[in-house]
């Protein structure tokens, strides 16, 4: 469940510093520029930085006093956002009653995962180019919108979203003729899948920020977002890693943190895709390196034979499942 107050707290903690300037004038453009020079763009970025080191850098600036006041203000915001600790029974109740399993519409994947993708978790689908990652995303979006009556937010980073393919999946899943009643149902389902074209990580941060702001009103209108898809997360993160060093890694960790926080606090199943790169002895491995490896709750490896439509999927990481499990399916 989600209340309005929780939504407001999440907005503050996930917001870019620039979005907080109106409420906290001390976080002015000078403070934002100073933070940006150290790879800090949002409140949660402070959580992964050495604040003593940051304060030392602030001391060297002409406006050191104002900068230190800004740091103190951000720490105060963080302190007010801490949610109460939950005991084991409360966590179990949350998992049983709020974190449902959503079918992807792909029998092989659903059987492998014990029903599908769980709300509250970040699931990563890893695979080489043209192995079917986007098709799995489109099918999952169609199935959640059709069978689970939930809204889906789809962040398309490579112009791969296909409304025609979505329509095909929805028609097959719904399994009914498009008479007048069927057309109304079809329109409702299609309207429940919202696609945003996102070509850089900062745009993704803004979209997620707006999404969190709108969660309370969506619940009141009965149009709850059940799934968030980012296809692909690696195309947003890879460009910022390059030669940017710690700043790129900080942005990557911040993105993962935001996605996991959104999943947990708003009971959303988050699905992201990632490509593969060459590993030892030429064996493909997931991109984005060791830092990203520990972020997803669930990590799946997808592969396929270009000669047919049969795909293989295996578990690389799962909180309650052996990593050796695998299955085959076709789309």
């Amino acid at each position: 469940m989600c209340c309005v107050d929780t939504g407001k707290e999440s907005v503050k903690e996930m917001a870019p510093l620039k979005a907080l300037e109106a409420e906290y004038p001390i976080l002015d453009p000078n403070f934002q520029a100073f933070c940006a020079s150290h790879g800090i763009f949002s409140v949660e970025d402070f959580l992964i930085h050495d604040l003593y080191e940051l304060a030392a850098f602030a001391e060297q600036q002409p406006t050191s006093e104002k900068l230190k006041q800004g740091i103190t203000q951000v720490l105060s915001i963080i302190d007010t956002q801490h949610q109460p600790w939950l005991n084991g029974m409360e966590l179990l109740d949350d998992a049983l009653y709020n974190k449902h399993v959503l079918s992807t519409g792909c029998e092989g994947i659903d059987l492998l995962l014990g029903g599908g993708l769980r709300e509250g978790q970040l699931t990563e689908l890893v695979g080489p180019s043209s192995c079917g990652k986007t098709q799995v995303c489109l099918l999952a979006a169609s199935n959640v919108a059709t069978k689970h009556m939930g809204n889906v937010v789809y962040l398309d980073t490579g112009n791969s979203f296909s409304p025609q393919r979505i329509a095909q999946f929805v028609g097959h899943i719904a399994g009914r003729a498009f008479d007048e009643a069927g057309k109304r149902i079809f329109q409702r389902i299609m309207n429940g899948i919202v696609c945003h074209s996102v070509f850089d990580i900062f745009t993704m941060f803004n979209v997620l920020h707006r999404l969190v702001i709108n969660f309370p009103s969506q619940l009141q209108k009965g149009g709850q977002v059940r799934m968030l898809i980012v296809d692909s997360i690696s195309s947003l993160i890879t460009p910022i890693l390059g030669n940017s060093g710690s700043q790129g890694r900080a942005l990557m960790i911040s993105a993962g943190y935001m996605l996991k926080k959104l999943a947990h606090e708003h009971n959303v199943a988050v699905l992201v895709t990632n490509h593969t790169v060459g590993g030892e002895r030429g064996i493909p491995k997931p991109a984005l390196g060791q830092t990203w490896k520990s972020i997803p709750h669930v990590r799946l490896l997808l592969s396929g034979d270009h000669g047919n439509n049969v795909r293989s999927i295996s578990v690389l990481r799962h909180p309650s499942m052996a990593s050796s499990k695998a299955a085959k399916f076709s789309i």
Side-chain angles (χ1 to χ4, degrees), residues 134-139 142 160-173 186 190 193 309 330-331:
T134 295
Q135 293 302 307
V136 171
C137 291
L138 295 174
L139 177 57
S142 304
S160 58
F161 181 83
S162 171
Q164 294 84 0
R165 189 65 167 144
I166 289 278
Q168 290 175 358
F169 282 138
V170 169
H172 177 73
I173 296 167
F186 176 77
M190 294 295 289
I193 303 175
N309 65 344
S330 60
I331 299 180

Side-chain angles (χ1 to χ4, degrees), residues 168-187:
Q168 290 175 358
F169 282 138
V170 169
H172 177 73
I173 296 167
R176 61 183 295 159
F178 289 124
D179 52 17
E180 286 305 312
K183 287 179 181 178
R184 287 194 296 272
I185 294 174
F186 176 77
Q187 185 175 16

Side-chain angles (χ1 to χ4, degrees), residues 10-26:
S10 298
V11 167
K12 281 187 180 180
E13 192 167 338
M14 295 177 69
L17 294 176
K18 183 176 177 59
L20 299 174
E21 183 182 350
E23 187 173 354
Y24 304 100
I26 194 67

Side-chain angles (χ1 to χ4, degrees), residues 11 21 30 45 51 72 75 93 96 111 121 195 201-202 225 248 276 279 302 319:
V11 167
E21 183 182 350
N30 179 59
D45 286 345
L51 297 184
T72 301
L75 292 176
D93 286 343
L96 292 176
L111 287 174
Q121 289 187 346
C195 178
I201 197 167
F202 301 104
V225 173
T276 56
L302 182 65

Side-chain angles (χ1 to χ4, degrees), residues 48-110:
I48 57 175
H49 277 76
D50 185 334
L51 297 184
Y52 291 102
E53 183 180 86
L54 189 68
F57 280 119
E59 284 280 6
Q60 302 171 16
Q61 304 299 315
T63 56
S64 60
E65 287 305 313
K66 287 194 66 177
L67 291 176
K68 287 189 289 185
Q69 290 174 22
I71 293 173
T72 301
Q73 180 63 74
V74 174
L75 292 176
S76 176
I77 294 172
I78 292 173
D79 188 56
T80 61
Q81 306 311 309
H82 289 165
Q83 297 200 359
W85 288 15
L86 300 177
N87 61 39
M89 199 66 226
E90 290 169 327
L91 289 170
L92 179 60
D93 286 343
D94 182 53
L96 292 176
Y97 300 111
N98 296 327
K99 306 293 192 287
H100 305 103
V101 174
L102 305 179
S103 167
T104 64
C106 176
E107 185 176 355
I109 295 177
D110 290 346

Side-chain angles (χ1 to χ4, degrees), residues 121-272:
Q121 289 187 346
L122 169 59
T123 299
E124 179 188 31
L125 186 62
V126 181
S129 176
S130 303
C131 71
K133 298 187 297 293
T134 295
Q135 293 302 307
V136 171
C137 291
L138 295 174
L139 177 57
S142 304
N143 204 62
V144 169
T146 304
K147 289 193 172 181
H148 296 282
M149 308 292 286
N151 290 346
V152 177
V153 175
Y154 198 115
L155 305 190
D156 177 21
T157 70
N159 288 324
S160 58
F161 181 83
S162 171
Q164 294 84 0
R165 189 65 167 144
I166 289 278
Q168 290 175 358
F169 282 138
V170 169
H172 177 73
I173 296 167
R176 61 183 295 159
F178 289 124
D179 52 17
E180 286 305 312
K183 287 179 181 178
R184 287 194 296 272
I185 294 174
F186 176 77
Q187 185 175 16
R188 177 190 59 75
I189 294 171
M190 294 295 289
N191 287 340
I193 303 175
V194 180
C195 178
H196 296 271
S197 294
V198 176
F199 301 116
D200 62 77
I201 197 167
F202 301 104
T203 303
M204 185 187 77
F205 285 152
N206 288 333
V207 171
L208 296 180
H209 176 51
R210 294 200 306 271
L211 181 61
V212 171
I213 291 175
N214 292 329
F215 263 115
S217 62
Q218 290 168 348
L219 285 174
Q220 292 170 3
K221 296 176 182 177
Q224 182 180 2
V225 173
R226 304 291 298 276
M227 176 173 280
L228 168 66
I229 296 172
V230 184
D231 183 26
S232 74
I233 192 69
S234 53
S235 66
L236 298 179
I237 293 177
T238 300
I240 64 172
L241 293 178
N243 298 319
S244 58
S246 60
Q247 179 175 329
R249 287 194 297 275
L251 285 169
M252 177 175 66
I253 294 171
S254 181
Y257 172 82
M258 290 177 72
L259 291 169
K260 292 174 74 172
K261 180 181 176 68
L262 187 150
H264 174 69
E265 294 190 354
H266 300 284
N267 303 322
V268 174
V270 177
L271 175 63
V272 303

